[in-house]
Amino acid sequence: MPPSDSTAAPPFQVRVADRVTRLPPYLFGRINKMIYDKRVGGDDVIELGMGNPSDPPEGAVIEKLVEAARNPGNHRYSKSNGIANLRREVASKYLKRFGVRLDPDAEVITCLGSKEGFSHMCLALMGPGDTAIVPTPYFPVHVYAVALASGNVIQLPVADSDKFLSAIAHTCETLYPKPKLLLLCYPHNPSSVTVEQPFFDEVVKLAKKYNLMVISDFAYADVAYDGYKPPSFLASPGAIDVGVEFTTMSKGYNMAGWRVGFCAGNREMIGALATIKGYYDYGMFQAIQIASIVALRDTQAAVEKQSEIYQGRRDALCDGLVRLGWQDARPKAGMFVWQPIPEPWRSRMSTMDFAMLLLEKGNVAVSPGSGFGPDGEGYLRMSLVENEERLKQAVRQIKTCLRDAEAQYSGGQATPALT
């Protein structure tokens, strides 16, 4: 028998990687827990927090998925870079819509949603000591994918496009080592800032001057209003020499849960992403890829109609908020209204507490701007995934919630604790 040891062994300790410990606590966890608890308790919460499309894809796309799923050959492992016909369809869309010619074999790759593709592209390009420039307020994965790749982030305000360009140049001139990567996101999430093609022309010049790789997150390419047409980074001369662009079928095609995204552009960057993906996954379910071909080829009219639906929802929400005395923050593109919190509430409480007030007392869930970095403080992000009637109801509930809270505040009582 082995000798006995009267000293108790220390408890087993799981030592996670530094890349995990560098991540901050999930700021929306508190709100998500309250939404869950309220719904379990029978409350009807109007969800304006997450940009999760509620409309279905076109019937023809679903029918093609069913047909392809019945083919035994489509249940085998697929290629991690996507089937050839789907990549050709992506290249065709870029040519028809933006006049951009792409080699579908070397300059297009499919991803399991653009979020996965972007994260793995950061892993392919970034390492310890490398720095990326990210616009702020930021979509969380734009910062944390860089952190998970052991890179550093410099945040530059995105609200004024000319100042943003100047800040990029200043950062590249003064920082050593120079930044390696520039992330762009237009139409911007969360702030809905938009640009025109000359902005990207200037970005290409900066990228070539400072040897700066560019990633354009073009997730809202298909959702725009009032005649605005979001430009593609790749349509600027020389863009393909310095960067790539991610697109997705989640938004305009109502295929968020299908997880279909694409990366197009610089072949060396595409090749690096393909190498990473070759180690991590066996590609997307082939039946989904086949159905996605039908969506890209045959449903453009439905995509345009979907933008009209979102525009109606945007107007229903913004018109209602303006009647409450809020600022008219109507976006030109994207699925969100980036809404300044009105006074006196902006001075009275934090953005998180205001969002919790609307949820706890008004049954309306929104995303507090502080969840998108310090530059988001004082704003709410409100999604347009609910139908017009539900959005109008949300405005009525916000009105009642704030009226009651104001009465309590004016009566000398502190605003109720938000737990």
Side-chain angles (χ1 to χ4, degrees), residues 170-190:
H170 177 75
T171 301
C172 291
E173 289 283 358
T174 58
L175 185 70
Y176 183 83
K178 294 185 184 301
K180 185 175 185 180
L181 181 67
L182 168 64
L183 171 66
L184 303 174
C185 177
Y186 296 100
H188 186 251
N189 180 14

Side-chain angles (χ1 to χ4, degrees), residues 27-47:
L27 291 176
F28 297 120
R30 182 179 168 198
I31 288 178
N32 290 340
K33 182 180 186 303
M34 182 175 285
I35 292 173
Y36 175 80
D37 290 343
K38 289 177 81 63
R39 285 177 169 165
V40 168
D43 288 343
D44 178 19
V45 177
I46 300 178
E47 171 63 273

Side-chain angles (χ1 to χ4, degrees), residues 27 136-138 144 155 338 368-377:
L27 291 176
T136 181
Y138 53 77
Y144 303 136
Q155 300 175 29
W338 184 243
S370 54
F372 305 98
D375 284 347
E377 181 61 37

Side-chain angles (χ1 to χ4, degrees), residues 73-84 86-87 110 112 277-278 281-290:
N74 288 329
H75 293 268
R76 300 168 60 85
Y77 290 130
S78 185
K79 294 181 63 177
S80 62
N81 66 337
I83 61 176
L86 179 55
R87 288 183 278 109
T110 65
L112 305 176
K277 286 180 63 62
D281 70 72
Y282 283 110
M284 188 188 308
F285 179 35
Q286 193 155 292
I288 288 179
Q289 296 190 62
I290 292 169

Side-chain angles (χ1 to χ4, degrees), residues 59-71 74-75 258 285 287-288 290-291:
V61 180
I62 297 173
E63 290 167 10
K64 192 64 176 181
L65 173 65
V66 173
E67 175 190 320
R70 290 199 175 103
N71 182 341
N74 288 329
H75 293 268
W258 297 47
F285 179 35
I288 288 179
I290 292 169

